[in-house]
Amino acid sequence: MSHDEEKGNHACGDTRIDARPEAQNTFPCPMMEETSKELGEGAPLYFPQPGDELPMKEEGSMDATGPWATGRVQYTPQGGITGLRPVADRYSITRFGPSEWRSHNHKFFQQSDENIKKAQHATFAAKQCIERVYREADKTQLETTEYLRERASVVYRWKVELDHALQSITEEIMLLEGERRRVKQSLSVITIPESIAGEFLQLRATRLESDLVKDDVEMELTKEVAICSEIRDLLNRTREQIEMQLVELKAAKARMENDWTDKIDAYEIDTRCIKMTNDSPLILWKPGASRFPAEQSTPASYEHFTREALSAGETVRQRSVNLRSTLDDIYKKSLKDMRDQASRVDTALAAQINLTEGICQQLEKELQRCLQELANTENLIEELRGSTKGLDAAMKLVQTRLAERMLRRNVESCRDVPQFALIDELKSLGERVTATLGELKHAEDTQAGLVKARGDLEREIIVKRKTLYIDKQRGQLLRSFYPSAAALSGI
């Protein structure tokens, strides 16, 4: 075959490839086309063709003369017209033949297809593994959630029983407290309530500044002094027994309250755990959460502890009920006015204490808010000071750049865009520093105001605590020594 024919064949092959865009669109992957046709007659020209496995035939040597002679370097008029250059044969750098080139293409497409299939298999296996793992994890999570729900129901049941028991024992304590107040009133003598009321009035006279007011407590104490001068007889019965029973009731109540509080916390924790999902914002890594603390109880000991607390509380409550059932009517007509007046004093005192405690708590909360805001202001001041220091480096940088650019000589000392940009940067940095310093001054003024407010609040809290100390610590202690009716009646 001559060089002209080979050139014509290559050109024809190119024409066939360009003339079949619909075939390329039908088979996006050349290996699919090759697989479907198994390298038949319709295989693309860049894949192995029939006959490539046969040895190449000798085409004979080219003539020494002619337009395609080996080594010919001169153009003929015809060659110049057609634009074809002479080719090199013996000295050409060509190393492979067309069949090897097509085999090389087939090999690369085959390798790519194998890698793609491996990737598809790996993707399928990974998806199956992920699906199986997530399905098993969801199943285990549902089982654990169901266990938590069952445990929460058990804790809730015991909590409800403790709640009923606490309600009963609280009512019993209130009833017994009423009986104690009645008996304590009966134990009073006329000189003791008068001295108690007088001393209490003197103590309340030591209140500070704004709390030195003539309130309901002071008015009722004055009335009590007048009533105590008219009443002399009171009864003395069962006070110590009632107080001992109250101690037992309060101890049993405290025990059940502790258990009840623990169960509320446990129920809330279990409920919170039940409501948690994989998308909850509260879930975190908790190293060491899977350990078993040594102080943990067992379900048997847990149930025994709760039953024992309930049984002890019910026993104490029954004793208190029996004690109240044995109390005699110790009230007499002559003592009723004194008891009523004492009750009014106690009620007014309790109301005043609650009112003072409430305002004291509000003042303490306000002080906490003031302290928190003061701390935030101090942090802001430190941050503003640090920010001004942080801008120093940027200011030094821009000034250094401007100073360095001043060293340019002759025509190079130009007012170019970087020069104006550096000037603008220096100006903006100065404005930012000024603004930051202004904010710093405002923050320092705010800090001074907060310090003054803190001092005022602390002073007011001291006043309220002084009043609480007089009314609650000293006053109620004096009221606890109020004489009973037994001493007045001589029984």
Side-chain angles (χ1 to χ4, degrees):
M1 181 184 294
S2 64
H3 286 283
D4 294 333
E5 293 175 354
E6 184 177 358
K7 193 74 174 183
N9 288 336
H10 283 294
C12 181
D14 294 340
T15 304
R16 289 176 58 192
I17 292 173
D18 295 337
R20 298 181 59 192
E22 68 278 358
Q24 296 177 5
N25 293 333
T26 306
F27 298 95
C29 178
M31 288 307 298
M32 295 174 60
E33 183 180 1
E34 177 188 355
T35 304
S36 62
K37 297 184 178 181
E38 296 182 356
L39 301 178
E41 295 179 356
L45 296 180
Y46 47 78
F47 278 165
Q49 300 293 321
D52 284 350
E53 66 277 4
L54 300 176
M56 296 183 62
K57 298 179 179 180
E58 289 290 339
E59 298 180 357
S61 60
M62 293 186 294
D63 296 333
T65 61
W68 303 107
T70 302
R72 183 179 178 83
V73 296
Q74 299 296 331
Y75 288 95
T76 63
Q78 292 81 7
I81 291 172
T82 59
L84 298 176
R85 292 177 179 270
V87 298
D89 181 31
R90 187 171 302 171
Y91 306 103
S92 173
I93 61 172
T94 303
R95 298 180 181 179
F96 304 102
S99 61
E100 292 174 329
W101 178 75
R102 290 190 289 269
S103 177
H104 176 76
N105 293 340
H106 178 265
K107 177 182 177 182
F108 267 77
F109 278 103
Q110 189 176 17
Q111 289 178 354
S112 176
D113 184 69
E114 290 175 358
N115 290 330
I116 290 173
K117 288 181 178 179
K118 288 180 181 179
Q120 291 175 350
H121 285 301
T123 302
F124 177 79
K127 289 182 179 179
Q128 291 293 324
C129 179
I130 291 172
E131 182 180 357
R132 182 177 66 257
V133 168
Y134 273 72
R135 183 170 58 252
E136 292 174 357
D138 291 340
K139 179 181 178 182
T140 305
Q141 189 179 91
L142 289 175
E143 292 175 355
T144 307
T145 304
E146 186 63 27
Y147 292 149
L148 285 172
R149 190 174 287 108
E150 293 175 0
R151 181 58 183 175
S153 64
V154 172
V155 174
Y156 181 79
R157 178 172 59 85
W158 285 116
K159 182 182 74 69
V160 170
E161 292 189 15
L162 283 171
D163 194 10
H164 293 325
L166 281 171
Q167 185 176 1
S168 300
I169 201 169
T170 302
E171 293 174 357
E172 184 62 26
I173 288 174
M174 294 175 62
L175 294 174
L176 201 57
E177 281 282 353
E179 295 297 335
R180 184 183 69 85
R181 287 192 297 268
R182 293 174 59 191
V183 172
K184 187 176 181 180
Q185 179 183 359
S186 299
L187 291 173
S188 299
V189 294
I190 191 59
T191 57
I192 296 177
E194 287 180 351
S195 62
I196 288 175
E199 186 175 355
F200 195 15
L201 286 172
Q202 292 178 0
L203 285 173
R204 288 178 61 82
T206 61
R207 291 174 294 173
L208 300 176
E209 299 174 353
S210 60
D211 279 3
L212 193 61
V213 296
K214 187 175 182 180
D215 52 4
D216 295 336
V217 177
E218 187 170 352
M219 296 174 62
E220 294 298 335
L221 283 172
T222 305
K223 292 179 182 179
E224 188 177 43
V225 172
I227 291 174
C228 287
S229 62
E230 300 176 358
I231 299 177
R232 302 296 178 189
D233 299 324
L234 293 173
L235 300 173
N236 181 15
R237 303 182 67 176
T238 66
R239 182 178 57 119
E240 294 181 357
Q241 187 177 1
I242 289 177
E243 290 177 352
M244 292 176 61
Q245 190 62 42
L246 279 173
V247 171
E248 294 181 1
L249 282 171
K250 290 179 180 179
K253 180 185 176 184
R255 180 180 177 181
M256 287 192 293
E257 281 178 344
N258 291 334
D259 195 12
W260 179 74
T261 304
D262 294 340
K263 283 178 172 51
I264 285 181
D265 294 338
Y267 180 74
E268 290 178 354
I269 291 172
D270 286 345
T271 304
R272 188 163 60 249
C273 291
I274 291 171
K275 293 180 180 179
M276 285 182 182
T277 61
N278 294 336
D279 300 328
S280 298
L282 301 178
I283 57 175
L284 296 170
W285 294 108
K286 301 289 185 179
S290 59
R291 68 184 187 278
F292 286 89
E295 66 274 10
Q296 277 189 333
S297 62
T298 61
S301 62
Y302 169 87
E303 185 174 356
H304 174 73
F305 179 84
T306 306
R307 287 186 183 277
E308 186 178 6
L310 288 171
S311 176
E314 182 63 21
T315 302
V316 174
R317 194 187 71 84
Q318 287 297 329
R319 284 204 299 267
S320 177
V321 171
N322 295 333
L323 176 61
R324 285 192 303 104
S325 63
T326 59
L327 291 177
D328 297 329
D329 186 12
I330 60 173
Y331 270 112
K332 292 183 180 179
K333 181 92 168 103
S334 58
L335 303 178
K336 188 176 184 302
D337 293 338
M338 186 177 180
R339 182 63 260 173
D340 293 340
Q341 183 59 33
S343 298
R344 286 193 290 269
V345 171
D346 292 339
T347 302
L349 180 60
Q352 186 65 29
I353 289 174
N354 291 334
L355 187 61
T356 308
E357 286 178 343
I359 191 173
C360 187
Q361 290 176 0
Q362 292 299 324
L363 287 172
E364 289 174 351
K365 290 180 181 179
E366 190 67 20
L367 179 60
Q368 290 178 357
R369 290 181 61 247
C370 183
L371 291 174
Q372 181 64 37
E373 193 62 31
L374 183 60
N376 294 338
T377 305
E378 291 174 353
N379 293 334
L380 177 61
I381 291 173
E382 293 297 327
E383 183 178 354
L384 289 173
R385 289 174 179 171
S387 63
T388 56
K389 293 179 182 179
L391 291 175
D392 290 342
M395 186 72 75
K396 291 177 182 178
L397 175 61
V398 67
Q399 291 179 358
T400 304
R401 286 176 173 175
L402 287 171
E404 289 293 330
R405 288 176 63 85
M406 292 292 292
L407 300 177
R408 295 176 297 171
R409 292 177 296 180
N410 300 329
V411 73
E412 291 301 324
S413 181
C414 177
R415 296 179 183 177
D416 51 3
V417 174
Q419 186 76 12
F420 286 104
L422 288 171
I423 296 296
D424 292 338
E425 183 183 359
L426 183 62
K427 181 180 178 181
S428 64
L429 285 174
E431 292 175 353
R432 292 188 181 97
V433 170
T434 303
T436 304
L437 292 176
E439 292 296 331
L440 179 60
K441 180 63 171 60
H442 180 68
E444 289 175 349
D445 294 339
T446 304
Q447 182 187 19
L450 288 173
V451 170
K452 183 178 181 303
R454 181 188 66 182
D456 296 338
L457 286 172
E458 288 175 348
R459 173 67 179 171
E460 192 65 22
I461 289 173
I462 290 174
V463 173
K464 294 297 183 291
R465 286 181 177 175
K466 175 69 174 178
T467 303
L468 279 176
Y469 173 75
I470 293 173
D471 288 344
K472 191 173 183 179
Q473 302 296 329
R474 300 295 300 277
Q476 286 188 340
L477 180 62
L478 284 174
R479 300 298 297 177
S480 65
F481 293 101
Y482 201 90
S484 64
L488 295 175
S489 61
I491 299 176

